[in-house]
């Protein structure tokens, strides 16, 4: 279980960094982070990224503007 939690925390950090680098949509983040994954899996990965973004928003780290996400200043 600990390995799973660690993986999720690392992925969330990667997503936070992607937003800070200007990737503003879930699919853009997927393209950046999952480039080595079969594109047929990207829609599912996009939903996972969206869940992370929503969690980051709840933590006050990002802001959603329609389907775009930006770092909170």
């Amino acid at each position: 279980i600990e390995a799973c939690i660690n993986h999720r925390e690392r992925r969330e950090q990667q997503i936070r960094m992607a937003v800070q680098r200007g990737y503003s949509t879930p699919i853009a983040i997927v393209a950046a982070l999952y480039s080595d994954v079969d594109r047929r899996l990207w829609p599912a990965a996009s939903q996972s990224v969206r869940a992370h973004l929503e969690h980051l928003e709840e933590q006050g780290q990002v802001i959603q503007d329609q389907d775009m996400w930006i770092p909170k200043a």
Side-chain angles (χ1 to χ4, degrees):
I1 294 177
E2 187 174 327
C4 183
I5 291 170
N6 290 336
H7 171 76
R8 302 304 277 173
E9 289 173 348
R10 283 191 311 273
R11 180 63 73 194
E12 191 163 280
Q13 174 65 20
Q14 291 173 329
I15 292 167
R16 182 176 28 252
M17 295 300 294
V19 171
Q20 290 174 352
R21 289 192 311 264
Y23 296 95
S24 60
T25 64
I27 198 66
I29 294 169
V30 167
L33 300 182
Y34 294 85
S35 61
D36 60 336
V37 174
D38 186 330
R39 287 181 181 236
R40 292 176 289 182
L41 301 176
W42 284 16
S46 181
Q47 293 303 313
S48 177
V49 166
R50 180 177 295 280
H52 280 289
L53 289 166
E54 290 171 357
H55 182 247
L56 289 170
E57 184 177 35
E58 289 172 6
Q59 293 180 332
Q61 297 183 38
V62 299
I63 300 169
Q64 182 179 12
D65 182 12
Q66 296 187 6
D67 196 36
M68 298 180 70
W69 302 81
I70 56 173
K72 186 169 182 181

